[in-house]
Amino acid sequence: MNFTLTEEQMAVRDAAREFAQKELLPEVIERDEEQRFPAEQIKKLGELGFMGMMTPTQYGGSGMDTVSYVLAMEELSKIDASASVVVSVNNSLVCWALEKYGTEAQKQKYLTPLAKGEVIGAFCLSEPEAGSDATSQRTTAVDKGDYYLLNGTKNWITNGNSASIYLVMAQTDVEKRHKGINCLIVERNMEGFAVGKKEQKMGIRGSDTHSLMFTDVKVPKENRLGVDGEGFKIAMTTLNGGRIGIAAQALGIASGAYELALKYSKERKSFGKPIHEHQAIAFKLADMATKIEAARLLCLKAAQLKDAKQDYALASAMAKLYASQVAMEVTTEAVQVHGGYGYVREFHVERLMRDAKITQIYEGTSEIQKIVISRALLTEN
Ligand code: CAA
């Protein structure tokens, strides 16, 4: 496996790093405190091509590879994981699904504005009683001839209130279980659609997470993504790629916290010398850097497999499982290196520690990744 980055990939990484420093760092603490969506910053990310990074240029995207996406996600997440999750959901859960399964008309109408960053998308699978157990969809899409009648509630939807276009999984034929699920493209202005309560979250507080309500929403047949009954497959294959984005987000949270801890360890003195000269701190830094490197390699491996059009479900689940664990461990240690300063807002690491936790939960908990991994291993031989 070749991990030498191309000139283009390095340029993307540097552009994301610069953007994060210039545009995301100012007010990141205030946005977190006020649970304020980074609307202006997301608009600029769209103008720079970060909202449809892997979408072909003919549909308004940047036509880049997944490795570039991982590099950008790491850089953005080092500074602001609330902004990076918006980028991740739009890129890997919405644009990718539309590109892979959409008709030409759907791509023109929905994918193009999403990839250009003119509008934001959301991916709606989770329900009050169907989180990890995603086949148990209660939302229904009754076939009424030329439209589906959509009823139900979705929970914990990232971009819930900021999105205009929603990919909604719903059960059409209960008898067929997961093979009776459809994925519908729902527009925000469709009658019967309503945005519910905003969640008050521990971390990624700048991103907006809402419940959504669908009451007799008439969704035209031409808004079904893929063939009849393909919705669950669409959701699962989309999440395989989404997990690369979240793994890269976890990696960025970890490396952001590590960089802060390293800097602080050179500045802060105790017992007559900079604290990194104490082995207790130096060993922590060594462990943090090693884990981050291992997580980065798993992310890049998954991305390279996807770019090479090989199976990446196992690699993406491994990358997400490990990188999210590293994010928790490294951010906790970064707080420890900072001592009392690590526990207060202005030193950033406490926010990164809070942000890290969600990477072990969304787009499949760590336990779900272990199911995906173990099943893949058991069917391999
Ligand atoms: N890739 C491709 N196909 C998959 C798959 C994967 N990773 N996982 C399951 N499938 C397919 C299976 O092959 C099977 O297909 P067939 O019937 O054609 O053989 C079908 O899906 C059903 O699979 P199972 O029989 O294994 O179903 P299960 O109920 O035992 O388990 C599960 C499925 C893996 C646990 C699945 O429900 C799952 O991944 N759950 C987690 C859901 C999740 O990640 N939710 C996140 C919400 S989105 C989000 O968080 C976005 C955000 O806001 C940031």
Side-chain angles (χ1 to χ4, degrees), residues 283-330:
F283 279 13
K284 278 192 197 303
L285 293 168
D287 279 339
M288 290 156 91
T290 306
K291 287 174 184 173
I292 288 167
E293 193 58 19
R296 186 176 288 117
L297 292 174
L298 283 176
C299 289
L300 290 172
K301 180 182 175 184
Q304 281 200 357
L305 286 172
K306 182 163 175 284
D307 289 336
K309 305 210 180 318
Q310 293 181 35
D311 190 352
Y312 53 90
L314 171 63
S316 69
M318 282 182 169
K320 182 179 181 291
L321 174 66
Y322 187 70
S324 61
Q325 187 182 316
V326 167
M328 264 333 287
E329 290 171 2
V330 168

Side-chain angles (χ1 to χ4, degrees), residues 85-86 88-89 93 101 122-127 130-137 155-159 169 176-179 204 208-209 232-240 242-243 246 249 311 313-314 316-317 320 358 361-365 367-369 371-373 375:
V85 72
V86 182
S88 183
V89 167
L93 296 190
Y101 295 101
F123 179 85
C124 313
L125 175 67
S126 303
E127 298 187 354
S132 292
D133 183 9
T135 56
S136 297
Q137 296 285 303
N155 260 24
W156 310 294
I157 304 303
T158 305
N159 303 341
M169 269 34 83
K176 292 186 181 161
R177 296 187 56 252
H178 67 276
K179 293 197 168 145
I204 56 159
D208 67 317
T209 307
F232 193 73
K233 183 180 158 201
I234 293 174
M236 290 298 112
T237 52
T238 301
L239 281 166
N240 288 337
R243 287 165 185 162
I246 298 306
Q249 181 191 43
D311 190 352
L314 171 63
S316 69
K320 182 179 181 291
I358 192 62
I361 298 173
Y362 60 20
E363 301 200 23
T365 59
E367 292 73 22
I368 290 293
Q369 306 316 312
I371 292 178
V372 175
I373 294 165
R375 284 186 183 173

Side-chain angles (χ1 to χ4, degrees), residues 330-345:
V330 168
T331 54
T332 307
E333 286 294 68
V335 170
Q336 195 69 20
V337 169
H338 280 77
Y341 290 109
Y343 206 63
V344 296
R345 293 280 150 91

Side-chain angles (χ1 to χ4, degrees), residues 167-187:
L167 299 186
V168 182
M169 269 34 83
Q171 191 83 50
T172 297
D173 190 338
V174 186
E175 300 280 293
K176 292 186 181 161
R177 296 187 56 252
H178 67 276
K179 293 197 168 145
I181 292 173
N182 277 310
C183 175
L184 305 180
I185 307 168
V186 175
E187 294 178 29

